[in-house]
Amino acid sequence: MSEIRFHLLGPLRIWHGETEITLSSDRQRAVLALLLLKAGTPVRRQDIIDAVWGDGAPDSVVNLVQTYVGRLRRRIDPGHIARSRSSWLAGLGSAYAIRLDRCDSDLFRFRALTAEARRAGTPRESLGPLLRALQLWQGPCLSDLDHLLKGHPWVRAIDQERVNVLLECAKTAFDLGLPAEVLPQLRAVAATEPLNEVVHSWLVLALAAAGAQAEALAEYDSIRARLADELGIDPGPQLRAARLRVLRQDATPSSPFGQPSPGATPRPSLLPPGVTGLIGRERQAGRIRSTLTCHGSGPAPVAVISGQGGVGKTALAVHVAHQLSDAFPDGQLYADLCGTDERPADPTRVLARFLRALGVHGTALPEDPEESVDLYRSHLAGRRILVVLDDVDSYAQVKPLLPGSSTCAVLVTSRSRLSGWPGAVSFDLGTLRPEESRGVLTAMLGRERLDAEPQNTAEIVRLCGGLPLALSAAGTRLAARPHWTLARIARRLAEAGLDELALGDLDVRRSVAAGYRRVSEAAQRAFRLLGLLELPSFAAWITAMMLETSLESAEEIVDALADARLLEVAPPDGTGQPRYRFHPLVRLFAREQAAAHESDAAGRVMITRTLAALLALAQEADEHLPSRRYAPVRGRAPHWPPPAEIRTAVLADPLGWFETERESLISAVRQADALGLVELAWELAATLPNVSAVRSRWADVERTHRVALAACRRAGDPLGEAVMLRGLAEAHHGNGRRDECLGALTTARVAFADLGAPAAEAEIRTRQMELAR
């Protein structure tokens, strides 16, 4: 046995050899407790901070955690060098991990005994290890730290492990005719789970089987009163069945709740086939598993996986459901609710299918929908069944399909976040990172094929935009054609776009279209037009400009598009306004729809109006910067007045606004140039030198001014050419290219003189004198 031992199945206690160690700081004890709950795996420092300090964390909390960890090392193993690689508590960057080979705990032993019981060949061989595992508990997990960690999901999960093992042990003991063996453990857990009907049902029967019929009935009356007082509900079917058996003096072992033997009980297994592995979703899968196995005395735990079409919600849900088959031994129910179809599934039809899978004969199905719900929940009561509801439209659609028993769990997928669902835990899936996308292709095609064409692999990854559906379509097409090069599919993706990503069920266009069909006509038109813009992200006022509508209406429209996952929500801008962006493949679909429904002239007018409003804001922000090197020189580019409230917010923090919009301004210059809007291009570019001087972002000036300068020269616009040369001169100076700076300034000065712009010419002369010193 290791010298360092921990007890956390009850109050936290620590030993080094035969010496018990005390820690005076409760927060230090809580830090240790969290590490013990996840012993063997790294625990992020931020997770510790969130759990122990929450929103009240002091500014020095990172140093505080580091101090606690150092003290724990020295206090618990004083003869050990804290930085040694063999420390029982290892530091891993911004995470910490307790090493399983350097210490022992009652939680490790509890799990080892449980595993031993499940490996046993017969129920009699498994009963002993189960009882010994339960006897390790001396109260709820970390009971002396309730004031800091009560309700934490990691703690709840361990307590639920105890309940699960107890129920397994109780069933085994009853089947063997030995209910008295588990009675002490039933009493102990029932005391800590005062509202857990399943535990109390077994306790009632165990008391009656031990000859304590009056105590059994008193136990029933006690929990019935608690349920009424605290939850306002009556006892469920399993608890009522236990009382009835006691009254009939029929609490003898073997199938105590009147159910058929396990071999005859229907065990539904409706899950579709799972995938062998999910690249980049391991962390989310672990968190979802923890959520679904954290059972308590309240409603069944619910996890909602949300995200845009094609992001892999169904694949993740089915993968997790298969992984949890042991945690839900009574079965798995699955239904596709078709929430993105024109006709979502009728929940009453799904309910009838579930009842048949649970053993209800077709002739016994109730005609009344409410009676069907009652029968369904009665069949799930006290059983450990996972209900997977795929592609859900709304909470109302699935409400009849939710179990009433806390022993069950529900896993939901939906494009919507279903934010109105009480008690549900949401997991929002994003797209994959480039290295994860490459991993998906590697799993499908093999590393050797990708390594032979690294640049084309990177291009395929870029064009698929981290969308698993797109990666699967591209990978499937390549796998079916081993003679194709990756260069060929990369070229076809660039040219054909969504056409190349349509392969049977793997169809990105169809996936996006499902969300597009479900939004209003106004939202559809906004989606089409916004897709024409080259801006990497935008605020709602951009939509107001394009559609010539109020800011309030525009906000409702973009929120509707975000809810339908046609837009992604980006970090807010410098004025606090929410921002939105397109996934590249969704933008392709938007442009397809624009080509089908909008004229080229209408699209050009709306793009011009939007860029003109962006120019108006940028020029005002430029004029309100804290310092400016040059006075503005204006051309004849169109201006469009932005919403007054947006203008006010921008002028309150012009630097912050420029910081948020810098990539959008760069993209706007390029789009204006592509559309032949030369004056818009150079005037937008001209708003950047002053802010770049403050932020030292001269690359932005070079990127925009070279594009606009070329446009001015093609169009014969000498004023724009002079302004662009002046800005480029400052970029050269900022980048340490003095000679190029002076040359550009001289050319710009001559151009302003030829144009009859003495003020601009004088400013440049002053600047040349400054640089000559």
Side-chain angles (χ1 to χ4, degrees):
M1 181 180 293
S2 174
E3 285 189 340
I4 302 173
R5 305 190 311 280
F6 301 100
H7 182 98
L8 57 156
L9 303 182
L12 178 62
R13 299 179 68 185
I14 310 156
W15 286 270
H16 187 284
E18 299 302 318
T19 303
E20 183 168 1
I21 296 169
T22 59
L23 301 174
S24 58
S25 166
D26 280 354
R27 282 204 165 95
Q28 188 176 18
R29 289 163 56 79
V31 170
L32 174 60
L34 290 168
L35 295 171
L36 287 169
L37 291 173
K38 294 292 183 180
T41 59
V43 177
R44 294 188 315 130
R45 185 189 300 132
Q46 190 58 50
D47 290 337
I48 295 173
I49 293 169
D50 292 344
V52 178
W53 283 273
D55 294 336
D59 293 340
S60 60
V61 69
V62 171
N63 292 335
L64 199 53
V65 173
Q66 293 171 336
T67 299
Y68 281 167
V69 169
R71 288 176 181 172
L72 286 170
R73 287 178 177 139
R74 294 188 295 272
R75 182 80 179 89
I76 294 173
D77 196 4
H80 185 75
I81 300 174
R83 294 186 178 180
S84 170
R85 290 182 176 271
S86 61
S87 173
W88 64 275
L89 175 50
L92 305 168
S94 61
Y96 307 97
I98 289 180
R99 291 182 50 178
L100 300 179
D101 60 336
R102 292 277 294 136
C103 57
D104 189 20
S105 83
D106 52 354
L107 177 58
F108 305 165
R109 297 196 298 277
F110 170 75
R111 287 172 170 166
L113 286 167
T114 301
E116 179 186 340
R118 289 168 181 164
R119 289 194 302 268
T122 66
R124 188 171 297 277
E125 290 172 343
S126 70
L127 182 60
L130 288 174
L131 288 170
R132 292 198 300 276
L134 291 167
Q135 287 163 4
L136 293 171
W137 288 75
Q138 297 179 14
C141 179
L142 301 168
S143 55
D144 58 331
L145 290 171
D146 272 358
H147 58 298
L148 287 175
L149 298 179
K150 185 175 179 61
H152 191 281
W154 297 355
V155 177
R156 293 202 314 269
I158 303 300
D159 281 330
Q160 185 59 41
E161 283 189 49
R162 181 191 191 188
V163 172
N164 293 344
V165 172
L166 172 70
L167 298 178
E168 187 178 343
C169 184
K171 184 180 184 308
T172 303
F174 268 79
D175 287 345
L176 293 171
L178 301 169
E181 294 290 330
V182 77
L183 182 55
Q185 297 304 326
L186 283 167
R187 287 183 188 272
V189 176
T192 65
E193 297 274 343
L195 298 175
N196 191 317
E197 294 187 58
V198 180
V199 171
H200 286 269
S201 300
W202 285 98
L203 176 58
V204 166
L205 288 171
L207 288 168
Q213 186 179 32
E215 188 178 352
L217 293 173
E219 174 64 27
Y220 173 85
D221 289 340
S222 177
I223 187 172
R224 181 184 62 180
R226 285 196 299 274
L227 290 171
D229 292 344
E230 298 187 30
L231 301 180
I233 62 174
D234 294 324
Q238 184 165 334
L239 196 54
R240 294 197 305 271
R243 174 179 176 272
L244 186 60
R245 296 202 65 164
V246 174
L247 292 173
R248 292 175 177 171
Q249 297 186 349
D250 183 22
T252 53
S254 186
S255 301
F257 297 110
Q259 297 173 348
S261 63
T265 302
R267 184 187 183 280
S269 298
L270 306 186
L271 292 176
V275 295
T276 55
L278 285 178
I279 308 296
R281 302 301 192 202
E282 297 81 3
R283 181 176 59 84
Q284 293 100 324
R287 292 173 56 205
I288 295 167
R289 288 195 301 269
S290 297
T291 297
L292 296 175
T293 52
C294 284
H295 299 271
S297 56
V302 177
V304 177
I305 304 174
S306 60
Q308 73 179 89
V311 82
K313 302 180 294 295
T314 298
L316 177 59
V318 172
H319 179 73
V320 169
H322 279 291
Q323 288 182 321
L324 291 175
S325 58
D326 289 342
F328 296 95
D330 296 322
Q332 300 89 33
L333 297 170
Y334 172 89
D336 183 353
L337 277 294
C338 304
T340 53
D341 290 358
E342 293 184 12
R343 286 189 175 183
D346 182 352
T348 59
R349 294 174 64 87
V350 176
L351 189 61
R353 186 163 70 87
F354 281 1
L355 284 170
R356 286 192 290 269
L358 290 165
V360 178
H361 194 272
T363 58
L365 291 174
E367 293 185 5
D368 184 271
E370 292 186 7
E371 290 183 6
S372 293
V373 174
D374 290 343
L375 182 61
Y376 169 67
R377 289 176 179 160
S378 296
H379 272 269
L380 295 186
R383 300 179 69 185
R384 284 187 281 169
I385 288 180
L386 177 62
V387 182
V388 182
L389 304 173
D390 194 16
D391 193 13
V392 167
D393 177 49
S394 65
Y395 174 66
Q397 185 190 26
V398 297
K399 190 175 179 181
L401 304 174
L402 301 181
S405 174
S406 63
T407 58
C408 297
V410 182
L411 180 54
V412 170
T413 74
S414 176
R415 292 201 184 183
S416 170
R417 291 179 176 85
L418 302 177
S419 54
W421 194 322
V425 180
S426 295
F427 299 89
D428 197 56
L429 287 192
T431 52
L432 299 175
R433 297 191 297 270
E435 62 271 20
E436 294 167 341
S437 297
R438 182 184 170 95
V440 171
L441 293 176
T442 300
M444 300 180 74
L445 305 173
R447 186 176 302 278
E448 183 177 349
R449 192 172 178 186
L450 300 188
D451 287 348
E453 298 182 66
Q455 291 183 340
N456 291 314
T457 299
E459 181 65 3
I460 293 170
V461 165
R462 185 188 69 81
L463 291 168
C464 289
L467 196 66
L469 179 62
L471 291 163
S472 296
T476 300
R477 194 177 290 278
L478 279 167
R481 295 169 176 80
H483 57 286
W484 277 22
T485 63
L486 271 65
R488 180 173 181 175
I489 195 71
R491 183 177 64 255
R492 290 168 66 105
L493 282 173
E495 293 172 353
L498 298 180
D499 288 338
E500 198 65 19
L501 295 174
L503 197 66
D505 290 338
L506 303 173
D507 190 337
V508 173
R509 180 185 286 110
R510 186 170 61 196
S511 174
V512 180
Y516 177 74
R517 287 194 304 268
R518 295 181 62 80
V519 298
S520 67
E521 289 186 12
Q524 287 181 353
R525 185 156 194 258
F527 172 73
R528 297 193 297 263
L529 295 173
L530 287 168
L532 297 175
L533 289 173
E534 296 288 353
L535 306 184
S537 69
F538 53 87
W541 71 265
I542 291 285
T543 307
M545 294 296 96
M546 291 204 81
L547 301 181
E548 288 189 279
T549 187
S550 68
L551 182 58
E552 183 178 5
S553 296
E555 288 171 344
E556 291 179 359
I557 287 172
V558 291
D559 282 341
L561 292 173
D563 288 343
R565 299 308 178 117
L566 296 172
L567 290 178
E568 300 173 356
V569 179
D573 64 19
T575 67
Q577 294 291 314
R579 295 184 72 80
Y580 306 86
R581 63 188 172 214
F582 277 94
H583 184 279
L585 297 176
V586 177
R587 190 193 296 273
L588 282 181
F589 179 83
R591 290 181 175 178
E592 287 182 352
Q593 296 304 307
H597 298 284
E598 307 290 341
S599 69
D600 290 343
R604 182 183 178 89
V605 166
M606 293 180 185
I607 293 171
T608 302
R609 183 167 59 232
T610 304
L611 298 184
L614 186 62
L615 173 62
L617 274 181
Q619 287 182 341
E620 286 213 68
D622 181 37
E623 291 174 3
H624 286 79
L625 290 174
S627 63
R628 298 166 65 234
R629 185 157 291 171
Y630 293 108
V633 175
R634 304 285 190 242
R636 295 174 300 174
H639 290 66
W640 195 267
E645 54 266 54
I646 299 301
R647 177 178 176 274
T648 300
V650 169
L651 297 186
D653 183 14
L655 272 175
W657 183 82
F658 267 120
E659 190 65 24
T660 300
E661 295 288 359
R662 53 185 293 267
E663 289 294 339
S664 291
L665 288 167
I666 293 168
S667 297
V669 171
R670 290 174 173 164
Q671 185 162 24
D673 170 50
L675 292 173
L677 304 172
V678 176
E679 290 186 314
L680 257 177
W682 74 254
E683 288 202 51
L684 280 164
T687 64
L688 293 173
N690 287 322
V691 72
S692 296
V694 177
R695 296 294 195 192
S696 295
R697 291 190 181 278
W698 294 113
D700 295 350
V701 176
E702 289 218 40
R703 291 162 69 187
T704 55
H705 280 52
R706 290 192 185 282
V707 169
L709 178 61
C712 291
R713 286 173 172 168
R714 288 194 305 270
D717 186 335
L719 178 61
E721 184 176 349
V723 175
M724 292 299 94
L725 285 168
R726 186 179 68 177
L728 275 174
E730 293 303 323
H732 294 326
H733 180 262
N735 290 322
R737 300 194 296 269
R738 185 174 181 276
D739 291 343
E740 291 179 62
C741 168
L742 293 173
L745 283 175
T746 299
T747 306
R749 178 181 164 188
V750 171
F752 279 124
D754 291 343
L755 289 166
E761 181 188 358
E763 279 188 321
I764 293 179
R765 185 185 299 111
T766 301
R767 181 63 172 150
Q768 287 175 316
M769 293 172 63
E770 289 176 359
L771 296 174
R773 293 192 187 104

